[in-house]
Amino acid sequence: MAAKLLNVGFGNMVAVARVIAIVDPGSAPMKRLKDEAKQAGKLVDATNGRRTRSIIVTDSDHVVLSAIQTETIAQRFEADVLSDRPGRGSQAE
């Protein structure tokens, strides 16, 4: 079985099974999370030079920055998760 991948923009993908949270980057705790991940070498910038509009946190403590809106990524994530459930795949389309 192939791993499901979540498109986070500009041809960048994250494994759906590894995603813990998809959050808005505007709050002070999220800015701290981003700074701490950068210091730890666990920050992945997938914005392609654009403004960060969402932050994806993985189970390996990596933090992925995306230029795609949080709601859009959440919808893509939900569609991928629903397509894994038996008998519910047609609702994701």
Side-chain angles (χ1 to χ4, degrees):
M1 181 174 147
K4 291 273 188 176
L5 297 175
L6 176 64
N7 182 347
V8 295
F10 304 107
N12 299 298
M13 307 285 181
V14 175
V16 169
R18 309 283 316 239
V19 174
I20 292 177
I22 304 167
V23 295
D24 191 273
S27 69
M30 291 306 109
K31 290 177 184 176
R32 264 195 313 276
L33 177 72
K34 183 174 89 168
D35 292 341
E36 289 170 4
K38 186 174 185 177
Q39 288 178 342
K42 293 196 171 217
L43 182 70
V44 179
D45 187 350
T47 62
N48 210 23
R50 299 204 173 48
R51 187 176 136 226
T52 300
R53 293 192 171 154
S54 61
I55 297 176
I56 300 144
V57 182
T58 67
D59 61 353
S60 62
D61 292 332
H62 283 83
V63 175
V64 181
L65 306 180
S66 175
I68 307 297
Q69 290 285 348
T70 305
E71 294 82 12
T72 303
I73 293 179
Q75 289 171 350
R76 292 176 184 179
F77 179 80
E78 189 174 297
D80 282 342
V81 170
L82 285 177
S83 68
D84 276 350
R85 294 183 184 167
R88 301 214 36 196
S90 62
Q91 289 183 349
E93 295 176 5

